[in-house]
Amino acid sequence: MLITVAVPTHNRPWLLREALASIAAQTHPQWEVVVVDDGSAPPVLESTLRELLGERFILIRHDQAQGIAAAKNAGVAAARGEVVVHLDDDDLLAPTALAQIAAAYARHPGLECLFVNVEPFGAYAPGTAANQSRAVSGLLERAQRPTDHGSRITDHSVAFFDRRLFTALLKSVPMAMQRPAARKTLWDRVGPLRRDSYLPEPEWAMKSALLCEPALLLHCAYLARMDGQNNVTAPEQKLKHMHAAVDIRKTLLAWIARNPTLAGHAGEVRHSLAGAYFNQAYHHQRNGHCRAAWRPLFASFATHPQWYSLRFALRLLASCTKRREAD
């Protein structure tokens, strides 16, 4: 099996060298690399890639940065492999990563999408590793596919999911479920990463869960660098993630509306969208922005009315009144 590793990069030449070296060190012999230089200055040179990869690469150059989604989409479009996996330019692949992916597809010919489990490394790795382990364990509890006799699948290197995965991903998308090694045919069916999405990978994972029954490589084969370059705990980042949660669910509703066979999932997406709006309202209220909380609260109730929204409205009204009296 020829596996394409698509590597988007922007202005991180030394990290890119490490990422590409981890591909060159793979034990699986059939691979190619598509490097998408997303407007780096200076640009990535073919001579640099040839030094690390020989002739087994394709270089695509964007004169101006177009963003991570556009860069990853370009990598998929240029891929010649049967399976395509993305590797961010600050991350690494374990030496046997591609061999494990190829072996899983060989054992399970009907498999269309294999998500690759993640092992964080770097200064902030311990906390991330603990959070991801809990998230993946919870996902397996909610959506792992049983056998006909009610027991778990016996392939101990791969966990299979059933149609409950989509519902589970609406609650949380662990980092591992944002690292697909998918057949090129599935990339074509699901479609490209949405360029105007703040979190395009979780959105793609949700769509794939509606179109196939993915699996997860249980062994951690994708090494994710955690050195503080992506500070998702900062307050402004939290709010961006909340807005992205709303945006993804609104996009899913529109996407489902264009696919009549998926219409049965619209209700749960609306329920999840209402929850995403409510989280925005709660966040604003907790941070003392009472006026800003009203709009998402109304949107939550209009999307999917819940009693807890009415209770929170009374609480919010009391908070606003107290703040006005204090002023």
Side-chain angles (χ1 to χ4, degrees):
M1 171 180 283
L2 176 63
I3 300 177
T4 297
V5 184
V7 184
T9 187
H10 176 74
N11 286 344
R12 296 203 279 203
W14 294 110
L15 292 177
L16 176 63
R17 276 183 164 271
E18 292 183 30
L20 297 180
S22 77
I23 301 171
Q26 291 297 300
T27 59
H28 178 69
Q30 300 297 319
W31 54 262
E32 67 166 9
V33 179
V34 178
V35 175
V36 183
D37 180 7
D38 195 35
S40 296
V44 175
L45 300 177
E46 284 196 8
S47 58
T48 300
L49 302 185
R50 190 167 288 111
E51 172 192 341
L52 294 167
L53 304 169
E55 300 297 331
R56 301 164 66 177
F57 70 88
I58 298 170
L59 175 60
I60 298 172
R61 166 76 180 172
H62 292 167
D63 292 333
Q64 294 183 341
Q66 299 181 25
I68 189 65
K72 288 189 173 184
N73 290 339
V76 173
R80 296 171 296 192
E82 185 178 349
V83 167
V84 183
V85 58
H86 287 116
L87 176 64
D88 291 348
D89 64 355
D90 57 338
D91 294 338
L92 308 171
L93 291 179
T96 61
L98 299 187
Q100 293 180 63
I101 292 168
Y105 276 103
R107 289 194 302 271
H108 308 284
L111 184 62
E112 293 185 88
C113 182
L114 177 68
F115 289 98
V116 182
N117 214 343
V118 173
E119 180 179 342
F121 72 97
Y124 296 90
T128 303
N131 291 337
Q132 288 303 307
S133 179
R134 285 193 296 269
V136 170
S137 295
L139 196 69
L140 292 172
E141 284 294 320
R142 292 191 295 269
Q144 188 174 357
R145 189 177 81 201
T147 65
D148 293 338
H149 302 290
S151 60
R152 296 300 183 191
I153 298 293
T154 56
D155 186 339
H156 297 297
S157 64
V158 175
F160 292 84
F161 297 101
D162 56 26
R163 296 299 179 179
R164 295 174 298 167
L165 177 61
F166 177 70
T167 304
L169 291 178
L170 284 173
K171 301 180 186 301
S172 174
V173 184
M175 191 186 303
M177 305 304 290
Q178 301 176 43
R179 302 293 185 269
R183 290 191 187 274
K184 182 76 177 290
T185 52
L186 182 66
W187 285 105
D188 294 338
R189 286 174 58 206
V190 176
L193 298 171
R194 185 161 58 92
R195 293 181 59 166
D196 59 349
S197 175
Y198 182 67
L199 297 172
E201 293 89 352
E203 182 179 317
W204 194 94
M206 292 178 190
K207 289 179 178 178
S208 73
L210 287 177
L211 295 183
C212 71
E213 292 190 358
L216 171 67
L217 186 66
L218 293 175
H219 182 75
C220 295
Y222 187 106
L223 309 180
R225 189 184 304 268
M226 293 292 144
D227 279 330
Q229 71 272 35
N230 298 308
N231 187 10
V232 298
T233 61
E236 64 274 13
Q237 292 296 325
K238 285 187 176 181
L239 192 55
K240 284 182 178 179
H241 277 69
M242 289 180 182
H243 285 300
V246 168
D247 177 55
I248 287 172
R249 284 150 183 79
K250 291 170 68 175
T251 299
L252 284 172
L253 283 175
W255 187 70
I256 288 172
R258 297 192 297 270
N259 295 270
T261 58
L262 304 176
H265 296 279
E268 62 182 319
V269 177
R270 281 194 292 271
H271 186 275
S272 181
L273 174 60
Y277 277 127
F278 184 85
N279 288 340
Q280 286 186 10
Y282 185 76
H283 174 81
H284 287 310
Q285 189 269 342
R286 284 204 64 183
N287 287 276
H289 306 301
C290 294
R291 289 185 179 179
W294 284 110
R295 185 184 294 273
L297 182 60
F298 285 141
S300 176
F301 192 79
T303 302
H304 189 83
Q306 294 286 332
W307 283 110
Y308 63 76
S309 297
L310 295 177
R311 290 197 299 268
F312 184 77
L314 294 175
R315 176 179 166 185
L316 182 59
L317 184 62
S319 296
C320 291
T321 301
K322 185 178 297 186
R323 290 186 68 86
R324 281 198 299 269
E325 291 174 351
D327 294 340

